Amino acid sequence: MKPETAIIRIKNLRLRTYIGIKEDEINNQQDIIVNVVIHYCADKARNSNNVADALNYRTITKKIIALIENNRFSLLENLTNQTLVIASEHDWVEFASVEIDKPHALRFADSVSMELCYQKPQ
């Protein structure tokens, strides 16, 4: 990792959405937990107090919330990918990962999760 790289972590964003393929999942919202990691070059932001010089995690989070709360998803893979697209859409983003947990998806497990990553092409 380059020394000018900053890492944003959005931890345990708890939301509700329609996720799944069973009738109960289609008809009832479920809890999900979203974790996002974003790496970006923060050279300008390190030596500035101007918000325009930093990646705005609040804006990213609001877009993720709108996506998840206003849509329905059959597959955890699709939900995770659409969230990753938001996390990685800014030109400054060098790397991003998104993990989404679906608590109580399996009877004897705390949750099932899906993680996808983005790496900016060299």
Side-chain angles (χ1 to χ4, degrees):
M1 185 167 71
K2 297 179 268 183
E4 64 273 11
T5 299
I7 301 173
I8 297 171
R9 295 181 198 281
I10 302 168
K11 297 182 179 183
N12 299 324
L13 179 61
R14 297 174 191 281
L15 302 171
R16 293 183 60 72
T17 194
Y18 295 95
I19 176 77
I21 58 172
K22 297 188 313 192
E23 185 177 346
D24 186 53
E25 295 172 320
I26 293 168
N27 294 326
N28 298 294
Q29 287 189 326
Q30 297 177 67
D31 295 327
I32 61 164
I33 302 168
V34 180
N35 285 282
V36 179
V37 177
I38 301 170
H39 294 207
Y40 81 100
C41 180
D43 247 0
K44 289 172 83 174
R46 286 174 180 237
N47 299 307
S48 169
N49 209 20
N50 184 348
V51 70
D53 293 334
L55 198 57
N56 191 328
Y57 57 82
R58 184 181 177 124
T59 301
I60 295 166
T61 303
K62 284 183 174 184
K63 286 182 180 181
I64 291 170
I65 292 169
L67 167 75
I68 292 172
E69 290 185 343
N70 297 321
N71 289 284
R72 293 175 175 264
F73 308 91
S74 295
L75 298 177
L76 193 52
E77 291 86 346
N78 182 260
L79 168 57
T80 306
N81 185 63
Q82 288 191 47
T83 305
L84 181 62
V85 168
I86 292 170
S88 61
E89 70 186 356
H90 196 286
D91 288 340
W92 296 351
V93 175
E94 298 168 356
F95 171 86
S97 70
V98 171
E99 181 180 19
I100 299 183
D101 280 83
K102 189 175 168 185
H104 313 295
L106 295 174
R107 185 173 172 197
F108 296 112
D110 291 339
S111 71
V112 170
S113 74
M114 173 65 55
E115 182 174 7
L116 295 173
C117 298
Y118 161 85
Q119 180 74 50
K120 187 175 198 169
Q122 296 294 333

